[in-house]
């Protein structure tokens, strides 16, 4: 009997085991062995196609360019940084790449005491291009008051109303919008929701402040539209994670979505002063006051008194009271009495926009009711489109795309999304866990969060900026939400309201923009000065030990 050498036996055993393991993996689908040529070809094609996809960078990018601008007789030299911030979870795993554009004065170093302001639009899911291209950056798209912005070439250039002389500026795109994206295996749903979105912005701002050494800078937020709802919760979250703010600016606010649910009459009270302002602008009032302020004051008084009492009675209102209220509404809004009565005293926004100038075969805008549009016919109960939105979108989009690439030098194969809604899978989670509440809100009201932040930070100042002709987020609704934060008289001194003859994007009006720049400059100066004082402007709502 012949015996194989021991080495040969071992080699044979190892080879057999390896073959068995390979076979097992093939059976489980873990390897390529046993796969058909067709399957392997499909995998190769898929991998090649995926390799060509435009993706957000996991590693943070910065593209820095240097510029100068003349403002108020002074030359401001500044750096523009177009870049990304990588959001990581608690164990350091990357989850999102957040795109931003920052403007800082030359010579600004880590540890500086120079103020910094973070800007963002709303949506939810909107990119920041509207504020970036139209408000307080060093470059701006020039617009009229009101007028349709002409096609290219656009009137885009230095902004004499930039805030760069007072504060550094950072414009942030929401996850899924602009060039901001989830990365690796993170899902869009990880960021698409009230609280998920606030968490992402909280981490982005904390990351920026840490990376660029801005912890010692006075810090401000400026949010527009849904960005104001974000700001309320963001102010609380930043404070809860160790960053106390100096100021929050709320531009064209919607803090509380609950009042917009069907069956609640508050929304009709909310719209009435904006209807009055719009009717005043278009000369539709039978006894037109001398100013829009007078028209609005009369509408406020009516809304808080007879109108609120009438709506509260619902279907039990008497015919006499209904007729009297309808007559008063007609005088304030320019709408026909019979139309108001047929609507049960409750005129929806779309119906108002269609009805006010129906005899002229015109509709009025939603974002800015000074704009008028022409529908296919003068029948129907709602406009075919929002004239104020169509008037400016093309110029803003075109200006931003050219500016980022050719002037700031940020090159990418990605598409700059106007909104996260432009990609598949957008579904917003509207629930919100507000501080100090026992139940989760099904529709958010972050005035609750802002109230807590103001009570516990006696230096936190809040400035509400409003356009009289904004019917997307009417100013009377903002007044209602912020005046129901139930602040004590001492803390109410940190809350201020200002109004401008403009719409939702108040900065479209060059005169309003100029006044806002002055108002914000004062606000920044006051907030910074008070933060340096040993005595806070308002006492904190916490007991002394």
């Amino acid at each position: 009997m012949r015996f194989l050498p021991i080495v040969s036996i071992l080699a044979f055993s190892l080879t057999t085991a390896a073959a068995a393991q390979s076979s097992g993996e093939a059976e489980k689908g873990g390897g390529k062995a046993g796969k058909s040529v067709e399957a392997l070809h499909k995998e190769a094609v898929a991998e090649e196609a995926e390799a060509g996809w435009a993706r957000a960078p996991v590693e943070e990018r910065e593209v820095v360019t240097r510029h100068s601008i003349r403002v108020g007789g002074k030359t401001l030299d500044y750096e523009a940084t177009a870049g990304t911030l990588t959001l990581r979870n608690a164990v350091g795993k990357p989850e999102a790449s957040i795109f931003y554009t920052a403007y800082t004065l030359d010579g600004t170093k880590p540890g500086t005491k120079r103020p910094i302001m973070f800007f963002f639009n709303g949506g939810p899911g909107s990119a920041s291009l509207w504020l970036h291209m139209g408000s307080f950056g060093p470059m701006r798209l020039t617009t009229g008051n009101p007028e349709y912005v002409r096609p290219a070439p656009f009137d885009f250039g230095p902004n004499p109303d930039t805030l760069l002389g007072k504060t550094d500026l950072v414009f942030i795109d929401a996850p899924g919008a602009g060039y901001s994206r989830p990365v690796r295996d993170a899902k869009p749903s990880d960021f698409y929701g009230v609280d998920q979105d606030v968490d992402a912005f909280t981490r982005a701002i904390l990351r920026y402040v840490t990376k660029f050494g801005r912890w010692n800078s006075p810090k401000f937020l400026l949010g527009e539209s849904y960005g104001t709802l974000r700001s309320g919760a963001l102010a609380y979250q930043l404070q809860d994670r160790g960053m106390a703010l100096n100021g929050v600016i709320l531009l064209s606010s919607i803090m509380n979505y609950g009042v917009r649910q069907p069956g609640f009459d508050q929304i009709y009270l909310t719209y009435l002063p904006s209807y009055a302002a719009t009717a005043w602008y278009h000369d539709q009032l039978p006894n037109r006051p001398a100013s829009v302020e007078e028209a609005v004051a009369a509408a406020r008084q009516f809304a808080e008194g007879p109108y609120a009492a009438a709506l509260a009675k619902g279907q039990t209102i008497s015919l006499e009271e209904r007729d009297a209220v309808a007559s008063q509404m007609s005088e304030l809004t320019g709408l026909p009495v019979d139309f108001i009565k047929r609507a049960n005293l409750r005129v929806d926004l779309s119906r108002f926009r269609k009805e006010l100038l129906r005899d002229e075969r015109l509709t009025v805008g939603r974002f800015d009711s000074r704009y008028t549009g022409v529908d296919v016919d003068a029948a129907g109960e709602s406009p075919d489109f929002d004239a104020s939105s169509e008037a400016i979108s093309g110029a803003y989009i075109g200006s931003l795309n050219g500016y980022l690439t050719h002037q700031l030098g940020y090159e990418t194969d990605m598409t700059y999304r106007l909104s996260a809604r432009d990609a598949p899978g957008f579904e917003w989670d509207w629930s919100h866990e507000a501080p100090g509440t026992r139940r989760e809100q099904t529709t958010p009201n972050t005035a609750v969060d802002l109230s807590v932040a103001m009570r516990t930070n006696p230096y936190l100042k809040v400035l509400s900026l409003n356009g009289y002709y904004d019917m997307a987020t009417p100013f009377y609704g903002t007044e209602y939400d912020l005046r129901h934060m139930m602040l004590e008289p001492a803390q109410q001194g940190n809350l201020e309201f200002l109004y401008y003859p403009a719409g939702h994007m108040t900065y479209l009006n060059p005169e309003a923009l100029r006044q806002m720049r002055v108002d914000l400059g004062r606000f920044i100066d006051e907030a910074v000065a008070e933060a340096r004082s040993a005595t806070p402007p308002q006492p904190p709502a916490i007991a002394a030990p």
Side-chain angles (χ1 to χ4, degrees):
M1 184 176 184
R2 299 177 61 185
F3 294 91
L4 291 172
I6 294 177
V7 174
S8 300
I9 295 174
L10 289 173
F12 175 78
S13 301
L14 290 171
T15 302
T16 304
Q21 181 178 353
S22 177
S23 175
E25 288 179 351
E27 291 176 2
K28 295 177 183 178
K32 295 185 177 181
K35 289 187 177 180
S36 67
V37 173
E38 181 180 0
L40 293 173
H41 176 69
K42 287 182 178 179
E43 284 186 3
V45 170
E47 289 174 359
E48 183 178 356
E50 186 175 351
W53 290 356
R55 298 180 183 275
V58 174
E59 296 300 321
E60 294 180 339
R61 284 190 65 190
E62 294 172 39
V63 179
V64 180
T65 52
R66 288 175 170 77
H67 312 264
S68 64
I69 184 175
R70 292 281 295 177
V71 179
K74 297 180 179 179
T75 299
L76 301 178
D77 296 318
Y78 66 93
E79 285 187 354
T81 303
T84 63
L85 301 167
T86 300
L87 305 188
R88 301 178 183 273
N89 64 14
V91 297
K93 183 179 180 181
E95 295 182 319
S97 175
I98 302 298
F99 182 76
Y100 69 92
T101 310
Y103 302 97
T104 57
L105 281 189
D106 274 2
T108 302
K109 298 179 180 179
T112 180
K113 296 181 181 180
R114 176 172 161 77
I116 188 167
M117 186 176 291
F118 297 92
F119 295 77
F120 37 82
N121 280 97
S126 175
S128 64
L129 81 155
W130 312 105
L131 281 168
H132 190 185
M133 293 290 94
S135 65
F136 301 108
M139 302 289 284
R140 177 180 178 264
L141 176 69
T142 301
T143 52
N145 181 37
E147 67 178 20
Y148 282 71
V149 181
R150 293 177 289 277
F154 308 117
D155 189 4
F156 181 76
N159 181 10
D161 294 307
T162 181
L163 279 174
L164 190 58
K166 289 287 184 180
T167 177
D168 290 338
L169 317 168
V170 184
F171 297 85
I172 303 175
D173 287 336
Y179 291 139
S180 297
R181 300 286 191 278
V183 296
R184 300 282 172 85
D185 55 354
K187 303 182 295 296
S189 59
D190 296 338
F191 306 96
Y192 294 170
V194 176
D195 292 348
Q196 299 92 318
D197 171 84
V198 168
D199 176 68
F201 271 84
T202 301
R203 288 191 284 159
I205 291 173
L206 289 171
R207 173 60 185 152
Y208 182 94
V209 168
T210 299
K211 180 176 181 177
F212 294 103
R214 301 306 297 263
W215 279 97
N216 205 33
S217 293
K219 301 169 194 68
F220 297 85
L221 304 179
L222 194 157
E224 179 183 356
S225 195
Y226 179 90
T228 63
L229 185 140
R230 178 187 295 130
S231 293
L234 184 56
Y236 172 78
Q237 285 296 329
L238 286 169
Q239 188 167 301
D240 192 52
R241 302 186 201 189
M243 180 183 289
L245 297 171
N246 297 73
V248 175
I249 299 103
L250 306 171
L251 174 59
S252 303
S253 300
I254 177 166
M255 306 290 291
N256 183 359
Y257 272 79
V259 299
R260 299 197 171 205
Q261 297 180 84
F264 289 89
D265 285 329
Q266 181 60 40
I267 191 63
Y268 301 107
L269 299 173
T270 291
Y271 280 128
L272 190 74
S274 296
Y275 291 169
T278 302
W280 180 90
Y281 180 84
H282 291 288
D283 198 15
Q284 296 297 301
L285 300 181
N287 299 297
R288 188 173 185 261
S291 68
V292 66
E293 289 82 4
E294 292 179 55
V296 164
R300 273 200 194 97
Q301 186 176 10
F302 175 71
E304 293 170 357
Y307 191 39
L311 295 187
K313 294 176 182 177
Q315 64 195 27
T316 66
I317 189 173
S318 68
L319 293 178
E320 294 76 15
E321 184 178 7
R322 184 198 66 172
D323 290 346
V325 169
S327 178
Q328 286 179 281
M329 282 185 67
S330 177
E331 291 181 10
L332 291 168
T333 65
L335 296 174
V337 172
D338 287 344
F339 177 83
I340 293 171
K341 290 197 290 187
R342 288 196 300 270
N344 294 327
L345 309 180
R346 295 160 174 83
V347 179
D348 292 331
L349 176 59
S350 293
R351 288 177 173 176
F352 174 84
R353 292 174 52 214
K354 184 75 173 182
E355 184 67 25
L356 183 68
L357 302 178
R358 189 187 294 273
D359 290 346
E360 301 176 38
R361 301 183 68 86
L362 296 174
T363 64
V364 298
R366 173 175 173 265
F367 284 114
D368 191 331
S369 60
R370 297 174 301 163
Y371 286 82
T372 57
V374 180
D375 285 350
V376 67
D377 60 47
E381 66 172 2
S382 61
D384 294 342
F385 62 98
D386 181 1
S388 56
S389 176
E390 297 297 326
I392 56 100
S393 296
Y396 270 72
I397 296 165
S399 296
L400 176 100
N401 279 287
Y403 176 61
L404 287 179
T405 302
H406 301 298
Q407 295 189 45
L408 299 190
Y410 191 87
E411 296 183 357
T412 176
D413 291 332
M414 297 172 60
T415 298
Y416 190 93
R417 289 182 191 157
L418 305 184
S419 171
R421 298 171 185 265
D422 295 341
F426 184 89
E427 186 173 346
W428 200 256
D429 176 6
W430 288 99
S431 62
H432 172 53
E433 292 186 15
T437 56
R438 296 181 179 180
R439 294 184 179 180
E440 182 180 76
Q441 296 176 358
T442 56
T443 50
N445 175 13
T446 65
V448 176
D449 308 61
L450 184 59
S451 173
V452 175
M454 293 183 71
R455 291 171 191 278
T456 54
N457 177 2
Y459 292 95
L460 178 59
K461 298 177 72 67
V462 176
L463 177 60
S464 172
L465 306 177
N466 306 272
Y468 281 124
Y469 308 112
D470 174 13
M471 294 205 293
T473 57
F475 60 88
Y476 189 59
T478 301
E479 295 170 3
Y480 180 88
D481 294 341
L482 296 181
R483 287 173 178 165
H484 282 76
M485 291 194 293
M486 307 314 293
L487 300 173
E488 294 299 320
Q491 285 125 28
Q492 291 177 29
N494 279 345
L495 175 61
E496 181 181 2
F497 295 86
L498 293 175
Y499 303 86
Y500 305 92
H504 189 71
M505 299 165 68
T506 51
Y507 40 86
L508 288 177
N509 181 340
E511 290 79 17
L513 177 65
R514 191 164 301 114
Q515 185 59 50
M516 281 197 298
R517 188 252 303 162
V518 173
D519 293 335
L520 285 176
R522 171 191 55 82
F523 178 76
I524 293 168
D525 288 344
E526 290 177 356
V528 172
E530 290 175 358
R532 290 172 177 162
S533 171
T535 304
Q538 310 300 333
I542 52 178

